[in-house]
Amino acid sequence: MKNTLPVLSTFRLSTFGIALIILFCTCINLPGNHSAKAAGTGEGLYNANCAVCHKGGGNTMNAKKPVIGSAKLANKQIFKAYLLKPTAPMQPAPTIANNDADLTALLDYCKSLK
């Protein structure tokens, strides 16, 4: 009986650890994964996906490349291509890029930033 207790405890701990990892992974909010349905508007999409690094239309990673006035906002095709394959450290946003309504809403909102 003494030998089964440590094995049982180890089994419970590893099962608990795996459950925590699965829970953590399902709760991660990666940029580009929030749809307009969840966010509501272009502003909502921006706040849910972009504002962490691009607060107020700026760029916390590289102040020389703000959203405001970016050439990536020239048209929907350029914007979509950039969202699918951005330069590091920005992460791709395929959920938005591949949904025309979301893409249009986000592009229009980004263009409205001053």
Side-chain angles (χ1 to χ4, degrees):
M1 206 46 134
K2 287 184 180 180
N3 290 340
T4 60
L5 191 55
V7 172
L8 186 57
S9 296
T10 303
F11 175 75
R12 284 186 182 164
L13 286 176
S14 63
T15 303
F16 180 72
I18 291 169
L20 280 177
I21 290 169
I22 291 170
L23 180 62
F24 177 76
C25 290
T26 59
C27 294
I28 293 175
N29 291 322
L30 295 174
N33 287 333
H34 296 281
S35 68
K37 191 173 187 178
T41 63
E43 182 179 10
L45 283 167
Y46 190 88
N47 289 333
N49 296 283
C50 314
V52 170
C53 295
H54 298 288
K55 188 169 178 88
N59 186 332
T60 60
M61 299 293 203
N62 185 348
K64 294 179 183 179
K65 294 185 178 186
V67 171
I68 295 172
S70 173
K72 307 290 190 283
L73 304 175
N75 63 52
K76 198 183 321 185
Q77 293 76 23
I78 292 171
F79 189 52
K80 179 178 181 174
Y82 185 71
L83 290 180
L84 289 171
K85 293 186 180 181
T87 55
M90 186 168 152
Q91 297 296 307
T95 302
I96 295 169
N98 292 318
N99 179 308
D100 194 62
D102 288 357
L103 182 66
T104 300
L106 184 58
L107 176 62
D108 290 346
Y109 179 75
C110 289
K111 285 182 172 184
S112 76
L113 295 171
K114 304 279 184 235

